[in-house]
Amino acid sequence: MLKLLSYTFKFCTILILGIMLSIVSCSEVTDNVTDQVTSDNFFQTPQEFISAMGDAYNPLTGFGGDTGFKNSNEIASDEGVFPQRGQDWFDGGVWLRQHRHTWRYDEPHLNGAWQQLFTGVNNANRLIFQFEQAIASGGADEEQAAAFISELKIMRAFYYYWLLDMFGNVPIITSFADAPEAPSQPSADFQQGRQALFDFVEQEMLNNIDDVSTDVQSTYGRANKWVAHFILAKLYLNAEVYTGTARWNDALTHLNAIIDSGNYSLAGNFYDNFVTNNSGSPEFILAVPYDKVFLGGFNFHQASLHYGMQGTFQMEQQPWNGFSTQAEFYDSFINPEENPGPQGPVTGLMGQQQQGTQDVRRNSFLAGPQLTAGGDPVTDNAVYSEFDDDGPQVVLTPTINELEPNACRQCGARIGKWEIELGATASLSNDYAIFRYADVLLMKAEALWQLNNSSQEALMLVNMIRRRAQVDEFSQLTADRLLAERGREFFYEIFRRQDLIRFDSKSGNATRFNDAWWEKDASEPWRTVFPIPRNQLEANPNLVQHSNSGYQG
Amino acid sequence: MNGIKLRIPILSKSNKLISTITDFNFKELSKFVLQACFSLLLVIGFSANQLSAQERVEITGTVIDANDGSPLPGASIIVQGSEEATGSTIGTTTDIDGAFSLMIPENLNTLAVSFVGYISQQVAIDGRTEINIELQPDVRTLDDIVVVGYGTQERQQITGSVSSVNADEFVKGSVNNASELIQGKVPGLVVSSAAGGDPNSNPTIRLRGISSFGSTQDPLVVIDGVIGGNLNNIDPNDIESIDVLKDASAAAIYGTRASAGVIVVTTKSGQLGQEQISISYNGYGALESIERQNDVLNVNEYNELAELMGIDAPSFNSNTDWFDEITQDAYSHVHNLAFSGGTQNSFYRVSTNFRDREGIQRQTGFEQLNGRVNLTQYAFDQKLKFDLNIGITSRKEDEGFPQAFRYAQTFNPTAPVKVDSFATVGNYFELPLFDYFNPVAIINTQEQEEEEQIFTGSLRGEYEFSDLIPGLRASVFYSLENHREIFRGFASTESKQGGGATTTAFGTGNAYQNTNDFQEQLFESTLNYTTNVQDLDIEALAGYSYTDIVEEGNNISGGDFVTDAVGWNNLAYAQDFNQGEGNIGSYQNIHKVIGTFGRVNLNWDNTYFANASYRREASSWFGEDNKWGNFWSVGGGVDLTGLLNLAFFDQLKLRGSYGVSGQDAPFSGISRQRFNPVGNFFANGNFIQSFGPISNPNPDLKWEERKELNVGVDFEMLESRLSGSAEYYNRVTDDLLFLVSVPVPPNLFPQTWDNIGELQSSGVEVALNYNVVQNTDLNWSTGGTFTWMSPNILNEYIADETQFISNAGSPGLNATPLIKVEEGEPIGEIFGKRFAEISPEGNWLFFDQDGNKVTADEITLDDQQVLGNGLPDFQIGWTNNISYKNWDATLFFQGVFGHQLVNTFRLFYETPNQISSYNVLDSAYDWVNRGEENRTLRESPQFSDVYVEDGDFVKLQNITVGYTFPLSQLESVRRLRVYASVNNAFTITNYKGINPEPRYVDVADDDNPLAPGIERRDQWFTSRTFSLGINLDF
């Protein structure tokens, strides 16, 4: 019995000691994050700062491919359309409404565009805040950090420039540290109007333009002085649309600054700008250095090409048979009336071979019979309409039978402007120029023409572009010619919507943008800015919808 | 003081021998306790060694069940008065045949015979040397022991909501997962086989609807004390009972992991003193075939519809039944072999299980080998007890491809499976169309498998301080669970879907290997104290719990193979890695949970009951400023049977409880500011990883909290032939964890995890059992469970913002959300347009808010409305057990009502003009020449109430007929039963899709619990299983 008791005591003691020990030793419940960086162990080396800068440029990857930002601009213009091809591409009617200018305030792609641009603004604000903190705490060299901060301010103004263009009146948020305590409280100066936004972008650019790098090579893909000049030029070129006051001379100042720098020139061949290895084209002022491995997102080929054309380029994934151009827009390339030049065989509006203008830029489109990489016809056995009468062979006809519901699957010329390499992945490696020197020349021509309709310099500049395209030179300029030339030069380079808005209507509407075109009636003047998206209005009670618009909310 | 009853605490349900209910009459309480402890110990263990010098007489006999005459092994026999007479208690227990023998002092004349579940007896010896004792089953106390958190309680004393299902009540027939055993058996518990016939998918378990959005909506599983146990590491054959802690008061003792309820599993064990080894074999073979599928057009119908529509639909001059091509009759066999036995100081059970199952999709199924050892050893006069439990599972799954079912529906019936051309896709006929793949090619040119190994080991040491402080027990518990999974996939260069092949070029192929390694260590120590003060029995528990979980793994995937020869076995063959294109990742996730807990149970005169529990617990995943949470419960009950003269009731008990339980955060780092590579940045001519924030800090982040009131009544009447319980609960879950949109600035990142959101629901649950016929030859008992659940109202949500989520998808139905989430509304609201009619031109017309018929183009958000709700509001389970002589039969029906489902098959594949691209459902004919005006739909699919269907169903879940061969007790075979069984025999429903079971999450939206009620297109057909089995005991 005694033995038992002693065992009992021993056991008891060990047990109680064990419990006490375990409580003492195991009450540490800190969350050990071992596979991600936390604020405790980041922002400590120069390498980490440069790495962090990348976040300010991240939204640019949405400028080339199939994104809300891109589609909002392209489909609203006359150069792009997603026809409803039977089962495919209805998607709640969003693309039909975008085409017909009947979009609503709750379209997901418009909200996507807003988010993409504000992500850029926010990332820039955050990084400025973090850099300033690092300077204050001695963690960063002040001079080095100041250059970073100026670059970030230019990028922030770049995103605001697009917000100004697309949404008109958005809140200007510039500070992280002084952010409103309760952002949900209404404040009178939250949206200060389009003029204030214009002034802000202008001022930010002017304030920082001399503090960013002038070197072109080392700033490839980033904001340098010439990028700032370009944004200012765009701002002034469209100033009348944004503020009611034209600023043609100011536009010329900044365009001349770019030209006079001697940093840029037209590439000898138009397609040097669009081939897979186009990096470092002398025309690129701001480019997204897309790479199929390191920087994905350039996927127009997925969104545009016919299913069967997977075999044409031996693509890793089957394309989606979506984005097409409108026949009228296609016609502006081959029609000798609109685009005079040497005549030769071209693909006609019904996919047939015919005589037409041999503009080198007509190969911006894929049209006519399509072949696989091995040279066999691409086929599609499903048949919809008279447009597919030639049987299963895929012949892309620039003319589209109808917008909805049964656009034929082979209808519509597709994007072929950028080289699609054999064996392409879902993302292409071609770089994508957001700002291109050709635009500097055409912008300058337009500004000069606006100041003087018979400016010879303006004519000379337009003809530089036409010469490269191997088409006849114009002997005089008109608004139609300027706009059409921009269309031919900058197809699928985002600016078409903006350009249409800048040119006066031909039929008494507010702008050219509001005119009727294929399967679209004339639209209301307030359609030149997009609505403040529903999600944003609901998330932020400060925000109000545009007054004097028919937009909901 | 007369009539004091002592309840020796019952250690565990399997441990029946050391629990006993005995009446004593003593004067001093303390002495009484001591005596009882001693008596018990001596009875069990060493009485034979304590002989005194007195004259003794040997008495032998058996103890049998008075009803069926079966022997009762392990019954306790104590010689009354032996302690006073000899200084020690004389007693024994019966062996496996119910036999006993005792040396009894001549002057003593009374034996006290007791056995759990039977009415105790006192038997006079009256000079006999052979005594055969028949014990009457105690109907009231049968199934009386309920496993609760950290112990057991008598059913009578339970104040919260706990349902027990014992092995004999489990769902019968072909059952492959422990959760299927209790499908429909517990009111308030829904086990949804949403995945249909997928052999490798576990059912979804939801207790009382949805009560949590935290780390999981699945209930916490506790297996033999291992918190967070893995149901896949336990073969259904090895389970003794499953207890479900339904309300917050019952679950509160498990603190931060209990908001979705707790399922406590107890495995089978041996018995003390069972010296003859018992061997049992259970096995069955099964044949599984398709139960429900979608019907699509055959070749003739396809051509006819195309003609009707005036569409020149593509035709390829073959006749293929694509369903036949990818499905099979699936054979399975299952074997379970178990040994158990014991000595006077130990007992054990060892089992091995083997399952080989085929799935209804060709080349799918799994093989599983499982072993379990449960061992208990006593020492120091049975004061010290060691339990060792080990479970090991090794499983290999061929996963198959659910999308093959979808493409079998849409692939052209006139297309051949193979043609001579198309060598690049292995001669499989393919068409260049969006979302279109030859289903046979999918399953033949690709492979996916999962291998897993699970090990669970636990060790418990327990000591009774019966000499020191009577009624005090202490125990320490350690468990280790290791779970390793490897997922492997390969798509050959001939695969169009996964390998990028086209009809003109070989693809790159693709392979992946993902490994997850999960390790949980649990250390717990507890103190139990049992005493009584006059009529008041007191049980107290205190404890400490420490959990350490490390989860880590890596994943590799790459393509561009020169040869298909090595598949996934040598990923260096993937040239993607040479070009910087392959993907490699690894992760580690550490989780610690520390808790202290306690509980007090009071029982006054078996009439009034009260209890309270408390757990204070910290999780490493909570924010810095909110590490510790308090979870508690109180409950009370009163047995009216003894208080009132109740004419109708044999028993009537009221109970009520209130409790607060919690739910942990979902992952490590959730409350911290974290940065991750968010892309690459081209700086100075090179790409470098660009780090950006991926979260905001939230030091206040805490647990979700479930507060629940539960009231219930338990009753028995008609001489206990009718028994049942009914209860009502009202529950509020607040501080729900959501990823909330926040402004940037002041935040670095636009989303923060926060405790914002409140969910409210209530319900009524009823369980009834009735013994319809009870006689020697024929027995028929029937039982039902009825569950009514109110809508889950989202009282508070992340913003005023209404969210529209769960996109229908490609092709053509993007920007088409199916579910609305709004503060103040129930969750699971299916939202959309209301169909009016087909226009004369063949277009869709919908009702706008004023009741006008307008085209889709004119419909705005305001015109759309709630079309249904994905969560059920009523559920029944109905069991019938019938036995006639040696025959037995079970019929089990299950029904779920009140939920709607979005039938996405019909949404995508029912409009007739799609025949230009896809094959369509038979029901496409419904849209041709429709109504009096003979209108035909010519537009493409649009979502509307047309595709929102009631999911109500009743199914015969199982029917089993068995025959037990009459065997003499002398034969070595003790029991031989054969049976035939059908699972999922038939389903009665108006639902037109495949599976009317509720969907608790949207599988296409990252398993989003806010979007229940959508049947997606990648859905396995449901299956019906016939099985033939045998139970053999030696």
Side-chain angles (χ1 to χ4, degrees), chain B residues 266-525:
Chain B
T266 307
T267 59
K268 290 174 180 167
S269 64
Q271 287 185 341
L272 205 56
Q274 180 198 329
E275 277 170 4
Q276 187 183 342
I277 294 172
S278 154
I279 304 172
S280 72
Y281 167 81
N282 296 300
Y284 66 83
L287 170 64
E288 188 178 352
S289 55
I290 296 170
E291 185 224 357
R292 282 172 65 87
Q293 65 179 63
N294 278 328
D295 292 322
V296 296
L297 303 183
N298 62 28
V299 170
N300 294 336
E301 294 161 338
Y302 176 84
N303 291 331
E304 183 189 286
L305 182 66
E307 202 177 319
L308 271 175
M309 292 299 292
I311 291 173
D312 188 7
S315 178
F316 306 102
N317 306 316
S318 285
N319 186 347
T320 307
D321 183 331
W322 291 101
F323 292 144
D324 271 1
E325 297 293 334
I326 61 160
T327 59
Q328 63 184 359
D329 286 333
Y331 295 91
S332 314
H333 54 111
V334 172
H335 310 275
N336 160 254
L337 185 63
F339 299 79
S340 66
T343 66
Q344 293 303 317
N345 275 316
S346 66
F347 54 89
Y348 67 90
R349 183 174 184 275
V350 180
S351 70
T352 55
N353 297 283
F354 178 71
R355 289 172 183 264
D356 182 358
R357 183 179 176 195
E358 286 179 346
I360 52 172
Q361 185 178 99
R362 288 172 197 242
Q363 297 149 36
T364 63
F366 69 82
E367 271 183 34
Q368 176 174 303
L369 190 61
N370 163 277
R372 175 162 291 274
V373 177
N374 290 353
L375 176 66
T376 300
Q377 175 71 50
Y378 287 92
F380 303 132
D381 296 343
Q382 304 201 340
K383 288 192 178 67
L384 182 61
K385 180 187 168 201
F386 279 111
D387 284 321
L388 173 72
N389 289 2
I390 292 172
I392 301 173
T393 300
S394 171
R395 179 176 167 114
K396 186 176 166 187
E397 302 179 347
D398 285 312
E399 307 266 11
F401 297 85
Q403 65 269 38
F405 288 104
R406 161 178 169 187
Y407 297 120
Q409 292 171 88
T410 59
F411 217 77
N412 195 313
T414 70
V417 177
K418 283 195 165 195
V419 283
D420 287 340
S421 50
F422 294 166
T424 54
V425 281
N427 297 123
Y428 291 102
F429 183 84
E430 294 283 6
L431 281 171
L433 251 181
F434 183 74
D435 198 33
Y436 211 61
F437 302 96
N438 182 324
V440 183
I442 285 181
I443 62 172
N444 287 350
T445 61
Q446 302 179 92
E447 214 177 329
Q448 286 191 97
E449 69 166 39
E450 180 188 346
E451 246 183 66
E452 66 179 337
Q453 280 100 38
I454 316 172
F455 166 88
T456 311
S458 70
L459 193 61
R460 181 193 303 277
E462 187 172 82
Y463 194 80
E464 280 206 44
F465 296 86
S466 47
D467 333 274
L468 199 68
I469 308 167
L472 183 69
R473 273 186 299 136
S475 82
V476 288
F477 179 76
Y478 172 80
S479 72
L480 173 70
E481 179 161 315
N482 232 311
H483 186 187
R484 182 177 155 80
E485 300 168 306
I486 307 176
F487 298 87
R488 302 188 182 102
F490 179 64
S492 78
T493 53
E494 292 181 343
S495 161
K496 183 187 178 203
Q497 195 198 27
T502 67
T503 52
T504 54
F506 285 99
T508 53
N510 192 60
Y512 66 84
Q513 280 213 31
N514 300 337
T515 308
N516 296 321
D517 214 336
F518 172 94
Q519 181 179 291
E520 170 172 338
Q521 294 181 87
L522 172 67
F523 172 82
E524 289 190 316
S525 49

Side-chain angles (χ1 to χ4, degrees), chain A residues 325-336 343-358 362-363 365-370 387 390 395-400 410-414:
Chain A
T325 201
Q326 295 183 29
E328 215 176 322
F329 189 81
Y330 177 87
D331 191 49
S332 76
F333 285 66
I334 60 166
N335 186 335
Q343 299 297 293
V346 296
T347 303
L349 293 183
M350 292 303 287
Q352 81 287 15
Q353 285 283 300
Q354 66 169 58
Q355 288 295 106
T357 303
Q358 298 279 298
R362 75 185 187 283
N363 292 325
F365 304 105
L366 299 169
Q370 300 300 309
F387 285 76
D390 51 354
V395 178
L396 297 175
T397 57
T399 303
I400 303 170
Q410 308 181 18
C411 286
R414 310 303 164 88

Side-chain angles (χ1 to χ4, degrees), chain B residues 449-632:
Chain B
E449 69 166 39
E450 180 188 346
E451 246 183 66
E452 66 179 337
Q453 280 100 38
I454 316 172
F455 166 88
T456 311
S458 70
L459 193 61
R460 181 193 303 277
E462 187 172 82
Y463 194 80
E464 280 206 44
F465 296 86
S466 47
D467 333 274
L468 199 68
I469 308 167
L472 183 69
R473 273 186 299 136
S475 82
V476 288
F477 179 76
Y478 172 80
S479 72
L480 173 70
E481 179 161 315
N482 232 311
H483 186 187
R484 182 177 155 80
E485 300 168 306
I486 307 176
F487 298 87
R488 302 188 182 102
F490 179 64
S492 78
T493 53
E494 292 181 343
S495 161
K496 183 187 178 203
Q497 195 198 27
T502 67
T503 52
T504 54
F506 285 99
T508 53
N510 192 60
Y512 66 84
Q513 280 213 31
N514 300 337
T515 308
N516 296 321
D517 214 336
F518 172 94
Q519 181 179 291
E520 170 172 338
Q521 294 181 87
L522 172 67
F523 172 82
E524 289 190 316
S525 49
T526 51
L527 285 173
N528 285 66
Y529 182 64
T530 313
T531 186
N532 56 357
V533 181
Q534 299 193 346
D535 281 356
L536 183 67
D537 291 358
I538 302 168
E539 266 188 73
L541 163 79
Y544 167 82
S545 171
Y546 176 82
T547 307
D548 185 310
I549 299 170
V550 178
E551 223 177 330
E552 54 198 342
N554 48 59
N555 49 77
I556 311 174
S557 72
D560 204 356
F561 286 88
V562 170
T563 166
D564 290 334
V566 298
W568 55 58
N569 290 314
N570 190 346
L571 282 159
Y573 276 34
Q575 298 174 97
D576 272 359
F577 294 106
N578 307 344
Q579 294 143 24
E581 283 178 68
N583 293 308
I584 294 183
S586 68
Y587 72 95
Q588 187 183 48
N589 219 335
I590 298 172
H591 191 196
K592 283 181 187 175
V593 181
I594 299 172
T596 53
F597 54 89
R599 178 175 55 209
V600 178
N601 295 334
L602 303 176
N603 170 5
W604 192 59
D605 199 21
N606 277 335
T607 305
Y608 299 99
F609 310 98
N611 57 40
S613 75
Y614 173 73
R615 187 173 183 117
R616 180 167 167 78
E617 190 160 73
S619 160
S620 59
W621 291 353
F622 298 149
E624 277 306 303
D625 302 340
N626 244 336
K627 285 288 185 201
W628 289 87
N630 299 316
F631 310 94
W632 55 272

Side-chain angles (χ1 to χ4, degrees), chain A residues 8 26 31 86-87 91 104 318, chain B residues 433 463 594 669 812 857 914 940:
Chain A
T8 308
C26 303
D31 191 1
Q87 165 93 12
D91 293 343
R104 302 169 184 157
Q318 183 175 278
Chain B
L433 251 181
Y463 194 80
I594 299 172
D857 213 29
Q914 284 165 284
S940 296

Side-chain angles (χ1 to χ4, degrees), chain A residues 1 4-5 7-9 11-12 15 18-19 22-23 26-40 42-43 47 50-55 57-58 84 86-94 96-97 100 102 104-106 108 122-123 125-126 129-130 151 173 175-176 179-180 183 218 220-222 289-295 306-308 310-311 314-316 318-320 372 376 379-384 404-406 409 425 534-535 538-539 552, chain B residues 38 311-312 314 316 380-381 383-384 431-435 461 463 465 467-468 474-476 496 500-502 504-505 508 523 525 527 544 546 579-581 586-590 592 594 618-621 624 627-628 667-676 678-684 687-694 743-748 801-802 804 811-816 856-862 908 911 913-914 916-918 938-942:
Chain A
M1 200 63 186
L4 193 68
L5 265 177
Y7 271 123
T8 308
F9 272 119
F11 184 82
C12 197
L15 186 78
I19 291 170
S22 60
I23 289 172
C26 303
S27 57
E28 178 63 35
V29 279
T30 306
D31 191 1
N32 283 319
V33 182
T34 53
D35 61 357
Q36 281 168 347
V37 171
T38 64
S39 44
D40 300 340
F42 198 60
F43 273 114
Q47 179 84 345
I50 291 182
S51 161
M53 281 280 288
D55 224 6
Y57 287 90
N58 230 358
Q84 184 192 340
Q87 165 93 12
D88 223 350
W89 289 103
F90 174 71
D91 293 343
V94 297
L96 304 180
R97 291 195 291 275
R100 290 169 170 152
T102 54
R104 302 169 184 157
Y105 81 140
D106 55 355
N122 291 334
N123 289 353
N125 278 331
R126 170 177 60 78
F129 169 72
Q130 287 175 306
E151 182 181 341
I173 298 160
S175 163
F176 222 86
S218 66
Y220 188 75
R222 289 167 67 180
Y290 282 119
D291 187 282
K292 66 178 178 184
V293 177
F294 295 106
L295 205 65
H306 185 278
Y307 313 120
Q310 181 176 16
Q314 292 178 356
M315 291 160 64
E316 276 190 5
Q318 183 175 278
W320 313 330
T372 65
D376 301 319
T379 56
D380 178 355
N381 288 288
V383 175
Y384 255 116
E404 50 95 16
N406 288 320
R409 292 219 297 258
T425 58
R534 182 184 70 87
N535 305 55
E538 291 188 359
Q552 215 181 333
Chain B
F38 263 108
I311 291 173
D312 188 7
F316 306 102
F380 303 132
D381 296 343
K383 288 192 178 67
L384 182 61
L431 281 171
L433 251 181
F434 183 74
D435 198 33
Y463 194 80
F465 296 86
D467 333 274
L468 199 68
S475 82
V476 288
K496 183 187 178 203
T502 67
T504 54
T508 53
F523 172 82
S525 49
L527 285 173
Y544 167 82
Y546 176 82
Q579 294 143 24
E581 283 178 68
S586 68
Y587 72 95
Q588 187 183 48
N589 219 335
I590 298 172
K592 283 181 187 175
I594 299 172
S619 160
S620 59
W621 291 353
E624 277 306 303
K627 285 288 185 201
W628 289 87
F667 59 86
S668 174
I670 185 172
S671 73
R672 307 280 302 274
Q673 172 106 60
R674 287 166 292 132
F675 298 86
N676 234 15
V678 289
N680 286 296
F681 179 40
F682 194 73
N684 302 324
F687 281 108
I688 72 165
Q689 281 185 343
S690 156
F691 276 75
I694 55 164
V744 178
N747 299 286
L748 291 189
E801 185 182 343
T802 305
F804 299 95
L813 287 159
N814 282 312
T816 308
D857 213 29
E858 297 164 278
I859 289 283
T860 66
L861 202 54
D862 298 329
F908 276 90
T911 48
N913 65 344
Q914 284 165 284
S916 62
S917 303
Y918 302 150
R938 299 197 176 272
E939 250 193 311
S940 296
Q942 297 231 5

